[in-house]
Amino acid sequence: MFDDDLDLPDPFAQQRYARLVGLDHIKTRLAKEAELILQPDLLEEWSLRTHQTVLPAVARLAHRPPLIIFAGDVGTGKTTLAETFADAIARRHRIDVRVKRLSLRARGTGAVGEMTRLIGTAFDVILHDARAAGSKRPTILVIDQADALAQSREASQMHHEDRAGVNALIRGISQVATEASGVLVIMCTNRIGALDPAIRRRAAAEFDFSRPDENQRTAILTDLFEGVPLSPSDVKHLVDLTGPGDRGYGHTYSDLVDRVLAATCLAAYPTRPITAELIAEQILICPPTPPFTAQP
């Protein structure tokens, strides 16, 4: 039902979060969105502090759905950010945050009623923990590959059991919104268009994760190869090599971090230094992952 829980703050989560270079625009907005869903009292305190009253707008915001959707191509950092961003919140407010990851095992084996039961049980656990801990220990539920569990019920080929599972998911999110505070659901998907419209309507925010642009690739490559003597022209050449080019799509964040970096270090070890030329060779050997829609 759940994969292993992650308790924040956590040093490894902090490192993973810090390594997500080039996502500052998402990190900043996400921190505010999540913080006010997980700890709604903060918004009321702000209103009293700055306006000497609780503004009507604050009352409206306090009832926003506790759901945020991360949408974008494979390898763009969605899952890593979903699992780690609350580490900064935990440290800033000196609280514990629990991250639970809903396993795709919640789909079950296809037996009648199984998927509905598993999803319902998962939300029962989340609600029980939230009622017991409240905002003192917020909980984040990460649903990766969300389109596998929340596929649009408008799809003509959709099995009855899958439809029932989507209904259970919607009920669970609605229950969290009305019966518990300090819970946030993060859905990650490569196919935003495949999500059920009722799920998307319930989202407080959607964040679009695209492949890193030129400026972001510059920041990522500079960070990855810190300490390697690279001139500005070297960096520009590497940035150009990792861009869309004639393919129409460039390297993803994970392509650069998990493949190009590893390939470069292995190619240099044990006798050669890392150079701009060596990095360029490995970029050509490690082409970017095709976009999800372009994959066979």
Side-chain angles (χ1 to χ4, degrees):
M1 181 169 54
F2 294 112
D3 292 326
D4 293 339
D5 291 351
L6 177 63
D7 291 315
L8 305 176
D10 174 80
F12 183 55
Q14 184 182 33
Q15 292 173 9
R16 291 173 67 203
Y17 178 77
R19 288 171 184 160
L20 287 171
V21 178
L23 295 180
D24 291 348
H25 60 300
I26 292 179
K27 286 181 174 182
T28 300
R29 171 79 186 278
L30 174 62
K32 289 186 178 182
E33 293 275 6
E35 190 172 75
L36 297 181
I37 291 174
L38 292 170
Q39 295 187 286
D41 291 347
L42 293 176
L43 195 61
E44 192 170 303
E45 292 171 6
W46 161 79
S47 183
L48 288 170
R49 188 171 63 253
T50 57
H51 295 278
Q52 291 74 54
T53 186
V54 178
L55 298 173
V58 169
R60 288 176 177 271
L61 278 175
H63 294 93
R64 299 174 78 206
L67 171 64
I68 292 176
I69 296 174
F70 288 178
D73 209 348
V74 294
T76 49
K78 300 185 299 296
T79 302
T80 299
L81 185 61
E83 293 175 350
T84 63
F85 78 90
D87 184 82
I89 295 175
R91 293 176 188 278
R92 183 161 55 251
H93 295 284
R94 298 182 181 180
I95 57 174
D96 295 326
V97 178
R98 173 155 291 178
V99 178
K100 287 182 172 292
R101 293 169 285 202
L102 187 64
S103 170
L104 283 182
R105 291 192 298 273
R107 286 183 59 88
T109 60
V112 175
E114 184 181 14
M115 183 176 174
T116 300
R117 178 181 58 80
L118 290 170
I119 291 176
T121 301
F123 274 95
D124 285 344
V125 171
I126 293 290
L127 287 164
H128 177 271
D129 290 351
R131 292 182 187 118
S135 59
K136 295 179 181 178
R137 193 189 67 183
T139 298
I140 294 173
L141 174 61
V142 178
I143 304 177
D144 203 6
Q145 301 179 47
D147 44 274
L149 292 176
Q151 183 180 357
S152 175
R153 291 165 296 178
E154 297 173 352
S156 58
Q157 75 277 13
M158 193 176 194
H159 190 274
H160 169 75
E161 179 62 16
D162 289 331
R163 293 178 191 274
V166 175
N167 288 334
L169 197 55
I170 292 172
R171 282 197 303 274
I173 293 170
S174 298
Q175 276 188 291
V176 167
T178 58
E179 300 177 24
S181 62
V183 177
L184 173 61
V185 180
I186 302 282
M187 287 187 171
C188 304
T189 178
N190 301 327
R191 302 186 301 144
I192 186 65
L195 289 186
D196 191 273
I199 295 284
R200 295 188 67 179
R201 282 197 300 270
R202 282 166 170 77
E206 288 185 4
F207 290 91
D208 180 45
F209 289 69
S210 56
R211 296 186 179 225
D213 61 22
E214 183 174 329
N215 290 333
Q216 291 168 327
R217 294 197 308 279
T218 299
I220 293 168
L221 288 166
T222 301
D223 180 73
L224 290 179
F225 294 104
E226 181 181 3
V228 176
L230 299 175
S231 68
S233 61
D234 289 334
V235 173
K236 185 179 186 309
H237 179 56
L238 298 177
V239 168
D240 290 342
L241 287 179
T242 54
D246 295 334
R247 289 181 299 261
Y249 56 89
H251 284 68
T252 68
Y253 177 85
S254 63
D255 287 335
L256 297 174
V257 175
D258 298 332
R259 299 174 62 204
V260 171
L261 176 65
T264 302
C265 290
L266 291 174
Y269 178 83
T271 58
R272 301 171 60 188
I274 293 177
T275 62
E277 291 75 16
L278 185 62
I279 300 171
E281 289 174 10
Q282 303 314 306
I283 289 172
L284 296 176
I285 292 172
C286 302
T289 303
F292 187 82
T293 54
Q295 293 177 341

